Amino acid sequence: MIELTGVKKAFGKQEVLKDVSIKVNDGEVVVILGPSGSGKTTFLRCINFLERAEQGKMVFGDKILDLKHVKKRDILYVRRHSAFVFQNYGLFAHKTALQNVMEGLTQVQKMNKAEARKIAEDALSWVGLLDKKDFYPAQLSGGQQQRVGIARAVALKPDVILFDEPTSALDPELVGETLEVIKKVAKMGITMVVVTHEMSFAEDVADRVIFMDGGVVVEEGKPGEIFYKPKEERTRQFLSRIIPQDAYVI
Amino acid sequence: MGSYFSAERFINVFPKIISCISVNFHIVLWSMLLGTILAIFVAILRLKEIPVVKQILGVYISFMRGTPLLVQMMIAFYGIPLVLGNVFMNLFGINLNRVEPVVFVEIAIVLNEGAFLGEIFRGAITAVPALQTEAGYSIGMTGAQTFFRIVLPQAFKVALPHYGVDFVGVFQNTSLVFTLGVVDVLGKAKTLGAATGHTLEGYLAATLIYISFSLLLKGVFLFIEKNMKNGSAPAI
């Protein structure tokens, strides 16, 4: 279980997160929605300390951490029990697809090479890219790179995977194949926190949807509630702009 | 004097001059080896921006980049024995005045390269996108693991072309050492010229030797650059 309470973060004078609290249960898929600049990506990055919050507490498994005054050891603990899928893939440019997946297994989990290779190959074949295992990131399409990124995350067997707009850098044709893979991850029962703009995807996989705006959580609930019966005016406004109205008629 | 140039004399001096290339190589290899190591430390320390260290490195780099290498060699050659002579004598029993001049030349080049290569490396390290570091952190790597396994190999690729140019530059700069009495290729050409009264043949030989080894070194670096896959192999 992951629970964050009272997370605050500012870049200079710009307050990005004003007291955000979120709880994610084991095996739950939580989707965070919201307009650009609402702080959702920053919030996600605060969870694994890619960004340092100025205030806030986090319960991560059986650890209770102060987000601001946190020990290096605890940061490593959180990072070693979580994985992150980046908007721009974040594959190691000098390593092949296979090496990208193996890196964390051999260097962080100290697995021997043969074992790591086996797991990495399984993960790549799971995302349908075993035939591309010796390709460098620059030789792969965006969708393929992102699938390698997901394979890298899954292979680590983390407690939670954080997805930061995993499809928003892809061209429309490649979004589908990537979303399919993320849905497969969701079906495995891994805890997931997903920041995305893909509404129909959110509706399909989310156990819970959180709508953020202006650095606060505006509303949260089951996808059916948020999408069809939003309580807050701001949520309604946002959704009406993103989802074409007639989509619901069908 | 019959003629300015004779092929016979040229053939005669060439082997004598080229035999001194080992001196140049000795200087280049040791200076580059130690200089590169020093430069990596300089680059890392500069990037860390540690208060006092930062200012010291700033002064060090401005000095090395702001004065000619020849001046630095002179200072090393004449200055080090004067300033540190007693210390070395008392602590290690080494008489610095007896140490080969080539050692001081190498100290000067190492310090010089520490600054120049340090700046090249610093630029190369900052050229690696921050996302690469974040990706390393995200899979649970430590700062050191991320730096040495993810950032440095990619920075190496950025730095390589500049490193190659610098390497050839150092090779040519070794010709300065005769000023301090170290007999290298140019030094040999000069002494033979002075002894025989025929200077042109020797200098021509030196020129040919410098050109061929410079081009050879350049070729070696181009070869490494082309064959280093490191993530940018052409699409299959």
Side-chain angles (χ1 to χ4, degrees):
Chain A
M1 183 198 68
I2 302 166
E3 184 175 10
L4 291 102
T5 37
V7 181
K8 286 186 186 171
K9 169 82 189 169
F11 292 114
K13 282 186 179 162
Q14 178 77 20
E15 265 189 86
V16 186
L17 297 174
K18 311 165 185 166
D19 196 4
V20 178
S21 301
I22 279 179
K23 187 177 169 185
V24 182
N25 295 311
D26 285 340
E28 202 179 15
V29 178
V30 173
V31 168
I32 304 179
L33 297 177
S36 300
S38 59
K40 48 196 193 318
T41 290
T42 306
F43 178 73
L44 200 68
R45 289 164 60 88
C46 283
I47 298 180
N48 76 343
F49 300 98
L50 287 182
E51 213 77 72
R52 195 65 77 89
E54 270 136 33
Q55 210 180 307
K57 277 217 166 64
M58 172 159 75
V59 180
F60 189 96
D62 48 10
K63 281 193 184 271
I64 301 168
L65 308 169
D66 185 321
L67 287 179
K68 178 157 193 203
H69 305 285
V70 61
K71 293 193 198 90
K72 265 191 177 173
R73 191 157 38 91
D74 290 330
I75 294 183
L76 272 183
Y77 178 87
V78 170
R79 286 177 179 163
R80 284 174 181 177
H81 287 81
S82 64
F84 201 94
V85 175
F86 294 88
Q87 184 174 7
N88 295 314
Y89 332 126
L91 296 183
F92 304 128
H94 62 307
K95 290 183 181 290
T96 63
L98 186 71
Q99 290 168 339
N100 260 280
V101 183
M102 283 173 66
E103 186 72 9
L105 300 172
T106 55
Q107 299 304 314
V108 179
Q109 301 186 357
K110 309 288 179 199
M111 234 174 242
N112 69 48
K113 270 208 167 157
E115 205 181 337
R117 171 180 286 268
K118 173 88 180 57
I119 293 176
E121 282 176 350
D122 285 349
L124 282 176
S125 93
W126 192 73
V127 298
L129 287 174
L130 190 57
D131 55 329
K132 302 269 192 259
K133 70 183 163 85
D134 294 323
F135 282 50
Y136 286 98
Q139 298 168 301
L140 299 171
S141 74
Q144 290 167 341
Q145 286 190 56
Q146 193 57 295
R147 278 147 67 198
V148 174
I150 295 168
R152 179 172 73 183
V154 172
L156 293 168
K157 299 208 167 45
D159 297 343
V160 56
I161 303 182
L162 311 167
F163 291 83
D164 180 17
E165 305 198 26
T167 58
S168 54
L170 301 173
D171 45 291
E173 275 188 284
L174 302 175
V175 170
E177 62 180 49
T178 310
L179 287 181
E180 280 313 309
V181 171
I182 301 177
K183 278 183 194 168
K184 264 171 87 175
V185 181
K187 281 197 192 115
M188 286 169 70
I190 298 180
T191 314
M192 288 167 47
V193 182
V194 188
V195 169
T196 185
H197 290 297
E198 297 289 333
M199 295 300 154
S200 62
F201 164 79
E203 203 184 333
D204 273 5
V205 301
D207 296 312
R208 198 145 48 87
V209 174
I210 292 172
F211 177 66
M212 275 179 77
D213 187 31
V216 293
V217 173
V218 176
E219 190 173 352
E220 63 171 291
K222 297 239 175 276
E225 294 165 15
I226 299 283
F227 288 132
Y228 301 112
K229 289 170 276 177
K231 292 191 197 87
E232 302 290 329
E233 179 55 30
R234 182 69 188 93
T235 317
R236 206 168 299 153
Q237 223 179 18
F238 175 74
L239 290 172
S240 71
R241 248 179 257 154
I242 285 198
I243 308 172
Q245 293 305 312
D246 51 354
Y248 294 102
V249 180
I250 311 163
Chain B
M1 230 190 276
S3 62
Y4 294 114
F5 186 85
S6 110
E8 198 183 319
R9 284 198 296 268
F10 176 75
I11 293 166
N12 191 22
V13 294
F14 192 85
K16 290 179 189 157
I17 292 176
I18 202 168
S19 67
C20 291
I21 192 81
S22 62
V23 175
N24 297 63
F25 278 156
H26 183 273
I27 299 170
V28 170
L29 293 180
W30 277 105
S31 312
M32 286 313 278
L33 179 70
L34 299 176
T36 303
I37 296 170
L38 176 64
I40 291 175
F41 282 107
V42 169
I44 295 173
L45 285 175
R46 276 211 94 186
L47 286 168
K48 288 223 164 191
E49 305 216 325
I50 308 160
V52 180
V53 177
K54 185 184 162 186
Q55 277 78 14
I56 294 175
L57 284 177
V59 172
Y60 160 66
I61 288 171
S62 327
F63 176 75
M64 288 299 166
R65 296 179 67 158
T67 53
L69 179 60
L70 187 56
V71 173
Q72 293 159 15
M73 284 181 181
M74 300 270 187
I75 292 176
F77 182 67
Y78 296 108
I80 294 177
L82 276 181
V83 178
L84 298 175
N86 283 334
V87 179
F88 270 75
M89 197 64 197
N90 296 336
L91 283 182
F92 312 107
I94 299 171
N95 185 354
L96 284 184
N97 291 316
R98 294 259 176 83
V99 172
E100 294 272 334
V102 72
V103 173
F104 297 106
V105 167
E106 282 166 4
I107 291 174
I109 302 182
V110 166
L111 290 174
N112 185 276
E113 285 304 301
F116 275 87
L117 283 177
E119 289 295 274
I120 289 177
F121 291 163
R122 185 173 67 99
I125 290 169
T126 43
V128 178
L131 181 59
Q132 294 289 319
T133 305
E134 290 182 353
Y137 288 163
S138 82
I139 62 169
M141 291 173 114
T142 60
Q145 278 179 320
T146 307
F147 182 75
F148 286 108
R149 295 194 52 90
I150 307 299
V151 177
L152 213 53
Q154 295 184 51
F156 182 72
K157 199 185 166 207
V158 180
L160 191 65
H162 309 283
Y163 189 82
V165 170
D166 190 84
F167 201 103
V168 176
V170 169
F171 172 66
Q172 290 173 1
N173 277 340
T174 55
S175 61
L176 292 171
V177 300
F178 185 59
T179 335
L180 301 177
V182 180
V183 181
D184 70 322
V185 168
L186 185 66
K188 192 74 182 170
K190 238 178 186 170
T191 39
L192 283 176
T196 59
H198 299 286
T199 50
L200 209 49
E201 290 84 356
Y203 287 137
L204 181 71
T207 308
L208 289 177
I209 292 166
Y210 279 117
I211 285 192
S212 11
F213 280 102
S214 293
L215 290 179
L216 186 72
L217 279 175
K218 192 183 145 196
V220 168
F221 275 99
L222 273 180
F223 179 82
I224 300 174
E225 246 175 78
K226 272 197 181 155
N227 286 278
M228 189 168 64
K229 285 221 181 72
N230 221 0
S232 62
I236 296 161

